[in-house]
Amino acid sequence: QVLGLQATTSGQAAFITQLTTISVPVLEALLNRTPVPRGLWAASFVALAGVLVVAADGMAAVAAADPAATLPGFLLLGLATLFYTLHIVRLGVWAPKCDAIPLALSKAAWELLFS
């Protein structure tokens, strides 16, 4: 994600990262073979629309100038969003089975080790 942030605009980064609000419920629904509740769809799209409104000016300026210049960052952030989605879904499975403090310490240790 850090490399993607260096290679694109903050508006594009915010929009791409905010896609987790849609990708997480969709992935969970696919894995659990259950539909996404309508209220969750609505909340996800309202959150995404809010980020789009905030980021629209910067994204329009990039599109008018040279969109290919930010493509590597866009792709890296998309990949980071995918991995973050997988992380959230996996954490949703494991969190109810673990004590909160050891889980949080383990998560922080791995993040420290790999950052």
Side-chain angles (χ1 to χ4, degrees):
Q1 184 176 19
V2 173
L3 296 174
L5 288 169
Q6 293 172 350
T8 192
T9 66
S10 59
Q12 283 182 330
F15 181 73
I16 296 165
T17 303
Q18 188 65 30
L19 289 175
T20 56
T21 61
I22 294 176
S23 60
V24 169
V26 168
L27 183 60
E28 284 183 330
L30 289 172
L31 293 175
N32 297 330
R33 294 189 174 109
T34 58
V36 177
R38 278 191 253 178
L40 187 54
W41 275 120
S44 296
F45 280 109
V46 166
L48 191 62
V51 171
L52 185 58
V53 167
V54 170
D57 286 341
M59 291 173 66
V62 169
D66 185 13
T70 59
L71 183 61
F74 189 86
L75 295 174
L76 285 170
L77 286 167
L79 188 61
T81 298
L82 172 67
F83 282 120
Y84 192 59
T85 296
L86 294 172
H87 167 74
I88 293 170
V89 170
R90 182 180 58 100
L91 190 60
V93 171
W94 283 99
K97 300 175 186 177
C98 300
D99 291 330
I101 300 298
L103 179 63
L105 290 174
S106 172
K107 182 179 180 293
W110 280 103
E111 289 170 350
L112 178 65
L113 182 65
F114 288 106
S115 65

